[in-house]
Amino acid sequence: MTTYRDWAALIGRILLGLMFVTSGWDKISGFAGTAGYIASAGLPMPQVLAVVAILIEFVGGIMLIVGWQARWAGLALSVFTLVAALGFHRYWDAPPANQMAESLNFWKNISIAGGMLMVFALGPGRISFDKG
C-alpha cells in the first residue's frame, strides 16, 4: 500500500504543480496583461503584486512538483489561491452573464486550496526531496 501512496502523492503533486507553473509562466510572458488585470481589481502596486504572484505560482509550483519544502509551498499556494478566489472570482458580485464562469473558478480555487492544505498537513510523500 505504501508504494501506491508514494506514487499517488508524486503524481498528485505533479498535476497540481503543473497548473501553478503554467499559470506563473503565462504571467511572466504576459506581464503587462497580468499587471493590468490586477490594476482592474483596484489593487495597489499592480506590477509588484504581479511579481509576487509569479514567484508564488512559478517557484511554488516547481517546489511542489519536486517535493522540496513542499509543505511550505503547499501552504503558500493555498493562501494564494484563497486570496485569488476571494479577490478575483467574486461570482456573487459578477454580472449575470459572468456568474457561472466566476462561480466555477471560485469553487475550483477553493478545492485547489484544500488540496494544497492536504500537502501542507501530510507532506509530499517519499518520492520527493523532502522524503515525506
Side-chain angles (χ1 to χ4, degrees):
M1 185 63 164
T2 302
T3 301
Y4 294 113
R5 208 177 352 212
D6 294 336
W7 283 101
L10 172 63
I11 293 166
R13 285 194 340 264
I14 291 169
L15 294 175
L16 286 165
L18 282 173
M19 180 195 63
F20 288 106
V21 170
T22 57
S23 181
W25 183 256
D26 289 346
K27 285 174 177 61
I28 292 168
S29 61
F31 187 82
T34 299
Y37 182 61
I38 292 169
S40 75
L43 295 172
M45 302 182 300
Q47 292 84 3
V48 172
L49 292 177
V51 170
V52 170
I54 289 166
L55 289 173
I56 292 171
E57 285 188 306
F58 192 74
V59 176
I62 291 171
M63 290 170 65
L64 183 67
I65 289 170
V66 301
W68 180 73
Q69 298 294 313
R71 288 179 188 262
W72 295 113
L75 182 61
L77 291 166
S78 178
V79 170
F80 174 83
T81 306
L82 286 172
V83 168
L86 293 169
F88 292 94
H89 301 298
R90 300 169 51 91
Y91 65 92
W92 52 90
D93 288 337
N98 297 354
Q99 280 183 340
M100 178 62 80
E102 291 302 336
S103 177
L104 288 170
N105 285 326
F106 177 86
W107 289 109
K108 284 179 184 179
N109 277 18
I110 296 299
S111 299
I112 292 163
M116 294 296 92
L117 286 175
M118 294 291 290
V119 173
F120 176 68
L122 303 174
R126 292 189 307 167
I127 306 172
S128 66
F129 282 104
D130 290 348
K131 304 281 189 239

